[in-house]
Each structure stands twice: as C-alpha cells, then as structure tokens.
Amino acid sequence: MEYNGVTIDETYAEAFPTWVSRVIITAVTEEWAYKAAVEATGFATSAIGCPCEAGVEGFVPAEETPDGRPGYAILICAGKKKLKEQVVERLAECVLTAPTTAVFDGLPEAEERIPVKLHFFGDGYEYKKEVGGRQCWAIPIMNGEYVGEEDFGIVKGVAGGNFFIMGENQMAALMAAQAAVDAIASVCGVITSFPGGIVASGSKVGSNKYKFMSASTNEKYCPTLREQVEDSLVPEGVKAIYEIVIDGVDEESVKEAMSAGVKAATRVPGVVFISAGNFGGNLGPFKIELKDLF
Amino acid sequence: MEYNGVTIDETYAEAFPTWVSRVIITAVTEEWAYKAAVEATGFATSAIGCPCEAGVEGFVPAEETPDGRPGYAILICAGKKKLKEQVVERLAECVLTAPTTAVFDGLPEAEERIPVKLHFFGDGYEYKKEVGGRQCWAIPIMNGEYVGEEDFGIVKGVAGGNFFIMGENQMAALMAAQAAVDAIASVCGVITSFPGGIVASGSKVGSNKYKFMSASTNEKYCPTLREQVEDSLVPEGVKAIYEIVIDGVDEESVKEAMSAGVKAATRVPGVVFISAGNFGGNLGPFKIELKDLF
Amino acid sequence: MEYNGVTIDETYAEAFPTWVSRVIITAVTEEWAYKAAVEATGFATSAIGCPCEAGVEGFVPAEETPDGRPGYAILICAGKKKLKEQVVERLAECVLTAPTTAVFDGLPEAEERIPVKLHFFGDGYEYKKEVGGRQCWAIPIMNGEYVGEEDFGIVKGVAGGNFFIMGENQMAALMAAQAAVDAIASVCGVITSFPGGIVASGSKVGSNKYKFMSASTNEKYCPTLREQVEDSLVPEGVKAIYEIVIDGVDEESVKEAMSAGVKAATRVPGVVFISAGNFGGNLGPFKIELKDLF
Amino acid sequence: MEYNGVTIDETYAEAFPTWVSRVIITAVTEEWAYKAAVEATGFATSAIGCPCEAGVEGFVPAEETPDGRPGYAILICAGKKKLKEQVVERLAECVLTAPTTAVFDGLPEAEERIPVKLHFFGDGYEYKKEVGGRQCWAIPIMNGEYVGEEDFGIVKGVAGGNFFIMGENQMAALMAAQAAVDAIASVCGVITSFPGGIVASGSKVGSNKYKFMSASTNEKYCPTLREQVEDSLVPEGVKAIYEIVIDGVDEESVKEAMSAGVKAATRVPGVVFISAGNFGGNLGPFKIELKDLF
C-alpha cells in the first residue's frame, strides 16, 4: 500500500514482553525536572549492552502531579529483577541527587509492586510525609528535603515495537526519523530509548563471522552493501535507513506510537519506503502489522 | 576571606585519582553530536552507584575535529578495568547507534591506551579507513557508514574536586550553582557529572544507623537539621547548600574549574558562604585550597 | 488570604481590550516550526515601544494541524489597523523566509477577518491549493513551495492581565516567575510576551520628572527605593518583584492563566507575597480579582 | 572547482555597507542572557520588511564581560538614523525588561558613537555607577537594579554576504544549511539574521507582475519552476536551495563566515552545488568570490 505517496511494506514489527516502571519526577521548574529525567534515562538505549532501556515519556503538567509542581514521566524497562535494581540505582544516583526533585509512582493502579527504599540515605533523620495523598518519605539533604514515594507499580509491557524509515538520502531519512520521534512524543505510555529516539545501526541477532558477538550489523538493510549482499532488502534508490524502536506500557500504546510515527515520517520529502523489523514471527509474541496502523 | 561580599571558608577540597578517557563525538550538525554525547554520559553521576562518572566536557568546533564536522568532547572516568568496559559499552550502545556519528580519541598524546573494538559489529563488512590522519574503522550500518577510531588514550586524572555553595534560600543557591556550572563549561578538560552539573544531596561515607549503606546524607551540612545535629556545619542564615563536583584530566584543570565556578557563584545575590568538602585530608592525595583559587 | 503559605493581596489586575490574531505555523519538524514562531514573535514585548505584542501560545500536534505536520500557535496583539500590518510583515519576513513552513488561520470561527496577501511574492507563479480543507496559496520559493492561508480571523481579546511575584530575594522571585510561566504555557489562548515571559521592570504611566517619557519605573514597587519612596508598596522583607503580563483571546483564558501562574509561583520557596497591577479601575474594562483565582 | 565533491560555482556574493551596533547583554546565568538576546533580535530578518537586521553573534564568557557575568553579544544593523532608534527601542523593550540583565558596549574602540539614554526610565531615581571600568547608569526597577552603559560604538559593516546551498532534495539542503549556521556561529563579528539563520525564500529586487512589490520570489532559483522559467539557474538534479545571509562588522569577518559555512555545507551528504547571489556587481561595493574562500 501507499500512504502520502510512500510505499508501506507488507510486513509487521515483532515485539517482546518486558517489565516497565513509570516514574514521575517533579521539580521547582519544568527545566529542572527535565534535567533529572534525562540523566536518569541515559546509557539505556538497548538491553543488549545497557543495564536497561529507559527514556522520557513526556511532560506532566503541575495540575496532574501529586505535589502540584511540573514534572516528567520516565519509563524504565527490563526483566523483573534487573528492573528493581535499575529503578533503585537510577533514582538514587540521578534523581535524589538532582536539585529540588521529588518522585512519585506513575503506575499507581498496577498490582505488581516493587520497593524502592531510598529513605535509608537519610541515616535515621528521614520521616514519613503525605504529599497529595501519596505516602512518601522526606529525607533531609543539603539542598533542603528530598521527598519521594517508595512503592512503585510495574506492568508487563512491550519492548521492540519498531519501524524502518528509508530515504533517498541520509538527510531525508534523518529528518523523517526526527519528525516521527516528534509525533511519538505526544503519545502516552511509550518511549523511544535510543539517542534522540533514533537507531542508526539496527542489528541482527548474533554474527556470522564473529561468534562471540551477540548482535551485529544487519547487512541486508545496509544501503552501502546493497550490491554486495545477495539477499539485500534495501529497495532500489534507498541510501539510508533509520529504525525507530518503541517500548511501552502495553501493545495498544506501542501501536498508537507506531501509527503516529509512520504517518509523520511519510510527510517528509525524500522518504520512499517504510518497513518494519521481525524475526519471522517465532521469537516475539507481539506482531504489529504496518497495514493496521492506518 | 571574602570575595564579592561572600565569605570563603578556610578549607580545601580533597580529591582522588581516577582514570579518564576523552572521546570526541562528531555528527552532521552540532545538535546530533550533542544528543549522542548526552546519551553516552547518562546514568553516570557518581561512582558510588553508577558504573562510571561521565559528562560532556564541551563543544569542539569543526575546524578542530579530525573529520571537519562539529563535535562534542566527553569524559568518562573510572578505575582502569571498569573504564575500558564502560568506554566500549557507551560508545557501542549510545554513539554507534546514534545518527551520523563518528568517534575520535580525545587524548592522542596519552601513553596509556585502551582498545575499543567496535568494528566486530561490522560482521566482516568493516574496513580500515583514514580520516584526518587518524586510523579508523568504517562499519556499514543502516544509515550508511559509521566511522571511528579504536585506540583511545587514557590519563590518570582527578575526581571529586568540589565546592559548596550556601544560600540564604534554596533558589539563590540553585541559581548560583547554575551560574557556577555555566562558568565551568568554558574550562577545558573537566566535567560536572551530576544532573545539570549540581549535587543536591552531598553524602558522607557510610552510615551511622544503616550499616549496609556505603554512603548516606551528610547531616552536618543539612540546613533542616541545623538545630538538631550537634556539630552542624551549616552557617547561620543558610537555608540550602549545593555541591559542585568536578572531575578532570589533571589537577590544574580541576583547580581552574573550581576557580571559575566559585567566582561565578559569588556574583549571584543571596549566596552567603562558600566551602568545600574533605575527609580530613587522609583519603585523597589532592588538596585544593579555596584561598588559592583567587 | 493565604495560599501555600503565601499572602495573596486583596486586589485585582486591570486589563484592556486588544485585537488578537492567532496563527498556526507548521514545519517539517517541531524544531523548525518553533524557530519560525520565535523569530515572528520577537521584538514584541510591550505595545509601549514595540510595534505589537506577540508570543508563542504553544505546541500544536500534527493531528490537529491542517497539513498534518507539527506546529506552533502564536498570538499577535495590537490595535486593529496595526494588527493587520504586523501580521503581514511578521509572516512575510519571519515565516515565509523560514525553512519548510506553512501558515494557517488559528481562529477559523472568528467573524472579523483580515487579509494577509503574501501570494504577491510569487510574482505570478503562485497558485491556489487546498490543504486540509483550507483555501491556501502555494508560492514557488527557493526551498520548494511555501503554502499558506491568506484570510485570518481576529478577535477582541484581553491585554495586560497580570500579577506580581514578590520574593525574599531576587532568585526566589525569578524561579517563581519561571515556574509561573511554565504553568501558563499549558493554558490555551494566552501568551506572556516579555522576555522569557517575565517583566523585570514594570512601569507606571508617564514620568514625574521627565515629561517626554510615556512610561517610567514604578518606584512604589522598587525594593531598593522602599525606604526612599514615601508610599512604597513593597512589603517588608521583599527584595525583588517580577510581573507576569498575560495577553489572551478572551477574559476567561487570561483568568485561567493567572490562576495557573499564581498557584505555581506560590509553590516556590522564598516567595512571600502575590499582588497585581491596576490603575484604580478607571482605565481598563477588565478587572480580575486575585481572590477569584482560587 | 570542487570541494568535498561539491561543485563550487564561479561567482561571487555582492554585499552592501550597513551601520552596525554590537551590544553585550549579561545576566545571572547564560540562559537568562540568551533569552533577552533572542527577544531583542527578533522580527529582524531583513531590512526589506523589518525595522532592522539583528541576531545573536555568540556567547561571551564571564571573564570577558565588564561585570563578570555570562553574556551574549548581539549585532543590530541598519542605516545610521534607524540604527540609533532600533538600539534604543530594542534595549528598552527587550533587555531592560528582562530578568537580571545588564548591557555593555561591544565596540568600545569605535570612533562613531550613539547615545542610548535608557536612564530616563529611572524617573530621577537613577544614578551613575562604574562597572568593570565602564561608565554606567543604575536604574531602580522592580526586580532590583538595571545597569547599563549608554554610549555605544557603531561601525560601518557589511550586510548581505551570502551563499546558496543546493541539494538533491530539501532535507539534504536544510541539514547542510544548519551545519553551515553551526559553523558560522563560531566566527566572531557576524550574524545570520534569518529564522534559524537560514533563508528559504531568497528574493529578487522588485517584481515583474506586481509593480507595488519591492521584492519577489527569485524564480530563476526556484526548483519547482526549473522547466517553466526560461533562464533558470537551478542545476540539474537540484530540488531545493537555501540561502545563508551574513551581516558583519567588516568584510573580513563576513568572508571568514562564508568560508566556514560553505565548507561545512559541503560535508553534508546530498549537497551538490554551492553558488552565491549578486546583482551583476553594480549595486554593492563588496564582492566576495567563492573561490577565495578556500
């Protein structure tokens, strides 16, 4: 099919289950909440080499946060055990240390819960405090008091929702990827964990030549190898491909994000083809067809 | 002594040796280089709970980078073994994956070297390529080709240079901390690895109450505990304290950063006292006296 | 009364009628739409010395714009004749010249209309084109084609909605002003036209000493003149005052913005008093009582 | 000739004299200085329809400003009479009103001077004050005190230095234009006054069809009119052209900026041709040959 004159491949994205924590970080101004959110979600592009996948979901206006201050929601995604460890470490090192911050559970309805006991940092000076109906701990620190919840909901979400943007040159594909990320930013419950939300070097599982590698370049999608690789999947005229990878709290939000992203990408001049990544359908329980996004 | 009407404590910052790698990340525009740099240096505030300390040192203009594109220099700091692992992982996951990036060694004169072999990702399609006199590997990827050096200099640098900004209220201290971070950003060879460059919750080693904690709140510097803690070091009238922690390639640059930061902080109205953190001088080999900064 | 421990003055903001145009600027990405919006609304803080008052109202997601691309809404406010001239000049010089932009009427329901005939720039090569149900002109330009509507609704709105944030020092007042501007940014139909949304030098009409001045410093609200001016209105302990000035499409949205802004400001530590500016109620037809904001 | 594989046209940019003022705006942090600088230089893309041309030249670190705070230098360009009026209005409305700002003359060596008497705003409460060796006025205002010089140097500079970036599609040309603007940002003494520094709709003098227009689309450089216009100057394969227009304090800095910008643009994939705009050499006294930039 075509959309806005761009060919949409007859394929699907194959995605995987992951555990997801959603944390609301508030601060005195939007900017300071954002700085903490960015630090807390750094070095978290891909579970292949990072301790988790994480990203900034979006802005949460003051009237929707427990303490009436502006905030950002972040998602942290990993296996269950790793998730608890990562939420603790990232909040302890990157949010408790950040100016004027507070943290709140962003999944208060979730049945599954993890404890995040930062209050031990208070060395006995900490005390319980209710903020906006939430049971928090207040910890005396050098800039005053840190306030935070310590019981966080987690849900079984979806990792690896994705699509490929193919351009007649690199800059067309890149700007389309940016437009896609912009559009996805308006969707609740999802993140794009790679740098700027974009993957420049999509990978295949394992490696043909170097057996010690758990992932390597996906040569079938490398435009410079189009003539060299026998079964290249790079369409004629395509010079660059970016992958957008989406993690989310459920399949519905990942699908909504894919839809917003694909539509946005097709509006950028120089984009010629949209596809998606899968492993034949045998690995991941979620299959999101591109044709169902429209 | 006083500077700009602010009392400067008669004390010193105690700092420690660390191994430092300096990486130049370039991209098609300044913005894309910055996005990769931020992702690669996230979750890296403090060695206490993060795998390393890292931050963006500063912008490197196109005429000073090997490939003539705009770039950012980042510093990654850790023990020697951990450093190699972290440089590899952070470049592999956060820069190789980022749109249009290339990486170059930012310490070409350093005698000590570490290998950073990303080229295995190329699965045999990679090849050697010289860029601006540097021996690089080019790896075919989905957005075209990634180019990077794989031999990086490391130096024995300094971690934990610091000073405390004390304000008559929290916002005065915070804006002064921001002004200090702004000033430090112009100094070469240093980073401030905490969120936005600022520490809100400076810690002491260990914990009196919770023996399993390796660090806990520094109650002597907590303004809300001033009346409660016997030997509080919070001066009268101080309501908030921020710590600026600086890592750098050598003692001289850390000292220069401290000087620029302290001077900037004293120009912000509402700042009343500047001090620094040390452990009695027995732990760290570097002692930087505040009075020597002027 | 008090709110979050801050005294709210028993007074009101006095505001004035103005004509308002609302323009949607779209572009290939959010960033490029924003750059055009900022340029088009610059040098437009106050009708006293600028040709109009203008500002960025907020982001408009792709699914709400006529061409399905991300956009920003801007407001331009002035007397009716001046408004037409300013909309034409600002769109011609700052949006038509900006990369990839399109413009659409942001007040399609308004009965009062102004023509904005940019298509003459096409020198005869221009042609009519429908986009998302809107009658537009397409103008061939160097970067491709500019597309825009040329018939814009205007409404009788409200200028000069305002409140004063008073702090125990300058940085507390400034951060509170920033928090207020952040909160107002989420309100539809309003702008804060001053730099960063904040007024540092609120004025009175005319001047006592220099008769040729149409406005001069409001000495009764100058903290440094508190002991010098007989009838100073600076409360004890206040060291700095910022004014937030709001223009909007109607009284309701200005009131909503004032409410969001005042509430946000009171949450910032160091803020001690909120007031508002008026001229005794004889000049402006709109009187918005602070006590009605809660 | 070719540079980085891109054809460089054998032509020159024709530029014009203009009067230039350079103002240093400082504030408590870099961010607040920048906000004032952006507001003060808005609605100032082209002298054709704006009251002046203006832009942010660049960051000035604290150690180089008279008051030791971070700052930004801006340039304002216009005819001599208009220039004085615009400097006064823009400083009065966009900088005096901005939080924590001070202004200083950025051309202290210039022989030609203009007075910028903002102190009348003080209504008699103002007083003289020396800051960093500069004679300033201090004006009591609501946020404390505004401080500024009132005697500004102006020099006969150069307006309209330019080059054209031609791409195989719009996004390649746009990213190259961005890369060029990034590179020019490192050059002292110049600005690129258009939105984001880039012109999407370069114009010719007058109009063939609409005699009341002083400028209209430059149809010879419109890619969509390539087949329609007899003497099109759009090279084969070019789908989009952006113009970078540079104003500066002298010919040398404009030339340096053109050099940095052109070189940067040629490094972006998809750029195929660089040219420049002139009027046959009869109008402007400055002719900057593209071949002399290398």
Side-chain angles (χ1 to χ4, degrees):
Chain A
M1 66 170 286
E2 283 207 352
Y3 187 80
N4 284 332
V6 175
T7 305
I8 310 295
D9 204 0
E10 276 188 48
T11 190
Y12 58 91
E14 191 173 353
F16 302 84
T18 187
W19 283 96
V20 183
S21 165
R22 184 174 185 265
V23 180
I24 312 290
I25 301 168
T26 66
V28 67
T29 58
E30 189 179 329
E31 181 188 1
W32 287 102
Y34 188 68
K35 285 180 180 177
V38 168
E39 183 70 38
T41 57
F43 186 44
T45 60
S46 161
I48 296 174
C50 297
C52 66
E53 299 181 0
V56 178
E57 181 199 300
F59 177 62
V60 184
E63 63 268 26
E64 295 174 22
T65 64
D67 65 358
R69 301 189 306 165
Y72 277 87
I74 64 171
L75 299 187
I76 302 178
C77 309
K80 205 187 256 188
K81 191 184 158 191
K82 193 81 181 167
L83 181 60
K84 188 191 149 186
E85 172 209 303
Q86 283 292 304
V87 173
V88 169
E89 287 297 6
R90 288 173 181 261
L91 296 191
E93 301 302 323
C94 306
V95 186
L96 168 59
T97 61
T100 80
T101 48
V103 300
F104 301 99
D105 176 25
L107 293 169
E109 317 275 301
E111 282 177 27
E112 197 93 17
R113 319 289 304 169
I114 56 171
V116 180
K117 302 197 174 175
L118 301 191
H119 72 266
F120 295 128
F121 185 78
D123 202 9
Y125 297 100
E126 70 278 10
Y127 61 96
K128 288 189 182 175
K129 186 178 186 176
E130 199 189 286
V131 175
R134 306 285 186 105
Q135 289 299 330
C136 298
W137 283 91
I139 307 174
I141 57 174
M142 282 171 59
N143 95 153
E145 259 185 11
Y146 169 86
V147 172
E149 281 190 282
E150 302 209 334
D151 178 54
F152 284 78
I154 60 172
V155 292
K156 217 169 191 167
V158 176
N162 73 81
F163 57 96
F164 295 172
I165 299 168
M166 308 196 184
E168 66 186 23
N169 58 21
Q170 197 186 41
M171 295 301 112
L174 179 52
M175 288 295 270
Q178 177 67 64
V181 169
D182 284 1
I184 292 169
S186 293
V187 178
C188 288
V190 296
I191 57 165
T192 51
S193 63
F194 281 84
I198 301 170
V199 191
S201 58
S203 59
K204 66 176 181 290
V205 177
S207 166
N208 297 317
K209 183 163 181 186
Y210 307 114
K211 297 307 176 190
F212 51 89
M213 295 290 286
S214 62
S216 66
T217 200
N218 200 338
E219 70 272 10
K220 295 183 188 175
Y221 286 107
C222 288
T224 66
L225 302 178
R226 189 170 181 268
E227 306 305 319
Q228 199 172 335
V229 169
E230 257 187 38
D231 46 357
S232 174
L233 295 167
V234 179
E236 202 184 331
V238 165
K239 293 286 165 44
I241 301 174
Y242 286 104
E243 184 179 0
I244 307 294
V245 176
I246 300 156
D247 294 351
V249 294
D250 55 30
E251 189 180 359
E252 203 44 53
S253 42
V254 171
K255 197 173 162 182
E256 189 189 340
M258 286 175 58
S259 175
V262 167
K263 286 173 185 167
T266 61
R267 282 196 187 83
V268 176
V271 171
V272 294
F273 203 87
I274 300 287
S275 189
N278 60 61
F279 308 89
N282 299 317
L283 293 180
F286 304 105
K287 291 175 192 59
I288 305 176
E289 298 275 349
L290 291 183
K291 70 172 171 349
D292 293 345
L293 302 178
F294 301 93
Chain B
M1 66 171 286
E2 283 209 353
Y3 187 81
N4 285 330
V6 175
T7 304
I8 310 295
D9 204 0
E10 276 186 49
T11 190
Y12 57 91
E14 189 172 354
F16 302 85
T18 186
W19 283 96
V20 183
S21 166
R22 185 174 184 265
V23 180
I24 310 289
I25 301 168
T26 66
V28 67
T29 58
E30 189 179 329
E31 181 188 0
W32 287 102
Y34 187 68
K35 285 180 180 177
V38 168
E39 183 70 38
T41 58
F43 186 44
T45 60
S46 161
I48 295 175
C50 297
C52 66
E53 298 181 1
V56 178
E57 180 200 301
F59 177 62
V60 184
E63 63 268 27
E64 295 174 22
T65 63
D67 64 357
R69 302 190 305 166
Y72 277 86
I74 64 171
L75 300 188
I76 302 178
C77 309
K80 206 188 255 188
K81 191 184 158 189
K82 193 80 180 170
L83 181 60
K84 188 190 149 188
E85 173 209 302
Q86 283 291 306
V87 173
V88 169
E89 288 297 7
R90 288 173 182 261
L91 296 191
E93 301 302 325
C94 306
V95 186
L96 168 60
T97 61
T100 80
T101 49
V103 300
F104 301 98
D105 176 25
L107 293 169
E109 317 275 301
E111 282 177 26
E112 196 94 16
R113 318 289 306 169
I114 56 172
V116 180
K117 301 197 174 175
L118 301 190
H119 73 266
F120 294 128
F121 185 78
D123 202 9
Y125 297 100
E126 71 277 12
Y127 61 97
K128 289 190 182 173
K129 187 180 186 175
E130 200 189 287
V131 175
R134 307 284 187 105
Q135 289 298 331
C136 298
W137 283 91
I139 307 174
I141 57 174
M142 282 171 60
N143 96 154
E145 259 185 12
Y146 168 87
V147 172
E149 280 190 283
E150 302 208 335
D151 178 53
F152 284 79
I154 59 172
V155 293
K156 217 170 192 168
V158 176
N162 72 80
F163 57 96
F164 295 171
I165 299 168
M166 307 195 185
E168 67 186 23
N169 59 20
Q170 197 185 42
M171 294 301 113
L174 180 53
M175 288 296 268
Q178 177 67 64
V181 169
D182 283 2
I184 292 169
S186 293
V187 178
C188 287
V190 297
I191 56 165
T192 51
S193 64
F194 280 84
I198 301 170
V199 191
S201 58
S203 59
K204 66 175 181 289
V205 177
S207 165
N208 296 319
K209 182 161 182 185
Y210 307 116
K211 297 306 176 191
F212 52 88
M213 295 291 286
S214 61
S216 66
T217 200
N218 201 338
E219 70 272 11
K220 295 183 189 175
Y221 287 107
C222 288
T224 65
L225 302 178
R226 189 172 181 267
E227 305 305 319
Q228 200 172 335
V229 168
E230 258 187 38
D231 45 358
S232 175
L233 296 167
V234 179
E236 200 184 333
V238 165
K239 294 286 165 44
I241 302 175
Y242 285 104
E243 183 180 1
I244 307 294
V245 176
I246 300 157
D247 294 351
V249 294
D250 55 28
E251 190 181 358
E252 202 44 53
S253 42
V254 170
K255 197 173 162 182
E256 189 189 340
M258 285 175 58
S259 175
V262 167
K263 286 173 186 167
T266 60
R267 282 197 187 83
V268 176
V271 171
V272 295
F273 203 87
I274 300 287
S275 189
N278 60 60
F279 308 90
N282 299 317
L283 294 179
F286 303 105
K287 291 175 192 58
I288 305 176
E289 297 276 350
L290 290 184
K291 70 172 169 351
D292 294 344
L293 302 178
F294 300 93
Chain C
M1 65 171 287
E2 283 209 351
Y3 187 81
N4 284 331
V6 175
T7 306
I8 310 295
D9 205 1
E10 275 186 51
T11 189
Y12 57 91
E14 190 173 353
F16 302 85
T18 186
W19 283 95
V20 183
S21 166
R22 186 173 184 266
V23 180
I24 312 290
I25 300 169
T26 66
V28 67
T29 57
E30 190 179 327
E31 181 189 0
W32 287 102
Y34 187 68
K35 286 180 180 177
V38 168
E39 182 71 39
T41 57
F43 186 45
T45 60
S46 161
I48 294 174
C50 297
C52 66
E53 298 181 0
V56 178
E57 181 200 301
F59 177 61
V60 184
E63 63 268 26
E64 295 174 23
T65 64
D67 64 357
R69 302 191 305 166
Y72 277 86
I74 64 170
L75 300 187
I76 302 178
C77 310
K80 205 187 258 189
K81 193 184 158 188
K82 194 77 181 171
L83 181 59
K84 188 190 150 186
E85 173 210 304
Q86 283 291 305
V87 173
V88 169
E89 288 296 6
R90 287 172 182 262
L91 296 191
E93 301 302 325
C94 306
V95 186
L96 169 60
T97 62
T100 78
T101 49
V103 300
F104 300 98
D105 177 25
L107 293 169
E109 316 275 300
E111 282 178 25
E112 198 92 17
R113 319 288 304 170
I114 57 171
V116 180
K117 302 196 175 177
L118 301 191
H119 73 265
F120 295 129
F121 185 78
D123 202 9
Y125 297 100
E126 71 277 12
Y127 61 96
K128 289 188 182 175
K129 186 178 186 177
E130 200 188 284
V131 175
R134 307 283 186 105
Q135 289 298 328
C136 297
W137 284 91
I139 307 174
I141 58 174
M142 283 170 59
N143 97 153
E145 259 184 12
Y146 168 88
V147 171
E149 281 190 283
E150 301 208 336
D151 179 56
F152 284 79
I154 59 173
V155 293
K156 217 170 193 166
V158 175
N162 72 81
F163 58 95
F164 295 171
I165 298 168
M166 308 196 185
E168 66 186 24
N169 58 19
Q170 197 186 42
M171 295 302 112
L174 179 53
M175 288 295 270
Q178 178 66 64
V181 168
D182 283 1
I184 292 169
S186 293
V187 178
C188 288
V190 297
I191 56 166
T192 51
S193 63
F194 280 84
I198 301 170
V199 191
S201 58
S203 58
K204 66 176 182 287
V205 177
S207 166
N208 296 318
K209 183 163 182 186
Y210 307 114
K211 297 306 177 191
F212 50 88
M213 295 291 285
S214 61
S216 66
T217 200
N218 200 341
E219 70 271 11
K220 296 182 189 176
Y221 286 107
C222 288
T224 65
L225 302 178
R226 189 171 181 266
E227 306 305 319
Q228 200 173 336
V229 168
E230 258 188 37
D231 46 358
S232 174
L233 295 167
V234 179
E236 202 183 332
V238 165
K239 292 287 164 44
I241 302 174
Y242 286 104
E243 183 181 0
I244 306 294
V245 177
I246 300 156
D247 294 350
V249 294
D250 54 29
E251 189 180 359
E252 202 45 52
S253 42
V254 170
K255 197 173 162 183
E256 189 189 340
M258 286 176 58
S259 175
V262 167
K263 285 173 186 168
T266 61
R267 281 196 188 83
V268 176
V271 171
V272 295
F273 202 88
I274 300 287
S275 188
N278 60 60
F279 308 90
N282 299 316
L283 293 180
F286 304 105
K287 291 175 192 58
I288 305 176
E289 297 276 350
L290 290 184
K291 71 171 167 356
D292 293 345
L293 301 179
F294 300 94
Chain D
M1 64 170 287
E2 283 208 352
Y3 187 81
N4 284 331
V6 175
T7 306
I8 310 295
D9 205 0
E10 277 187 49
T11 190
Y12 57 91
E14 190 173 354
F16 302 84
T18 186
W19 283 95
V20 183
S21 165
R22 185 172 184 266
V23 180
I24 311 291
I25 300 169
T26 67
V28 66
T29 58
E30 189 179 329
E31 181 188 1
W32 287 103
Y34 187 68
K35 285 180 180 176
V38 168
E39 183 71 38
T41 57
F43 186 44
T45 60
S46 161
I48 294 174
C50 297
C52 66
E53 298 181 0
V56 179
E57 181 200 299
F59 177 61
V60 184
E63 63 268 26
E64 296 174 23
T65 64
D67 64 358
R69 301 190 305 165
Y72 277 87
I74 63 170
L75 299 187
I76 302 178
C77 309
K80 205 188 258 189
K81 192 184 157 188
K82 193 79 181 171
L83 181 60
K84 188 190 148 185
E85 173 209 303
Q86 282 291 304
V87 173
V88 169
E89 288 297 5
R90 287 172 183 262
L91 295 191
E93 301 302 325
C94 306
V95 186
L96 168 60
T97 62
T100 78
T101 49
V103 300
F104 300 98
D105 177 25
L107 293 169
E109 316 276 299
E111 283 177 26
E112 198 93 17
R113 317 289 306 170
I114 56 172
V116 179
K117 302 197 175 176
L118 301 191
H119 73 265
F120 295 129
F121 185 78
D123 202 8
Y125 297 100
E126 70 278 10
Y127 62 96
K128 289 188 182 175
K129 185 178 187 175
E130 200 189 283
V131 176
R134 307 285 186 105
Q135 289 298 330
C136 297
W137 283 91
I139 307 174
I141 58 174
M142 282 170 60
N143 96 154
E145 260 185 10
Y146 168 87
V147 172
E149 280 190 283
E150 302 209 336
D151 178 55
F152 284 79
I154 59 172
V155 293
K156 217 169 192 167
V158 175
N162 72 81
F163 57 95
F164 295 172
I165 299 168
M166 308 196 184
E168 66 186 24
N169 59 20
Q170 196 186 42
M171 295 302 111
L174 179 53
M175 288 295 269
Q178 177 67 63
V181 168
D182 284 0
I184 292 169
S186 293
V187 178
C188 288
V190 297
I191 56 166
T192 51
S193 63
F194 281 84
I198 301 170
V199 192
S201 59
S203 59
K204 67 176 183 288
V205 177
S207 165
N208 296 318
K209 184 163 181 185
Y210 307 115
K211 297 307 176 190
F212 52 88
M213 294 292 284
S214 61
S216 66
T217 200
N218 200 340
E219 70 271 11
K220 295 181 188 175
Y221 286 107
C222 288
T224 65
L225 301 178
R226 188 171 181 268
E227 306 305 319
Q228 200 173 334
V229 168
E230 258 186 37
D231 45 359
S232 174
L233 295 167
V234 179
E236 202 183 332
V238 165
K239 292 287 165 44
I241 302 174
Y242 286 103
E243 184 180 0
I244 306 294
V245 176
I246 300 156
D247 294 350
V249 295
D250 55 28
E251 190 180 358
E252 203 44 51
S253 43
V254 170
K255 198 174 162 181
E256 189 189 340
M258 286 175 59
S259 176
V262 166
K263 286 173 185 168
T266 61
R267 282 197 187 83
V268 175
V271 171
V272 294
F273 202 88
I274 301 287
S275 188
N278 61 60
F279 307 91
N282 299 315
L283 293 180
F286 304 106
K287 291 174 193 60
I288 305 176
E289 297 276 350
L290 291 183
K291 70 172 169 356
D292 293 344
L293 302 178
F294 300 94

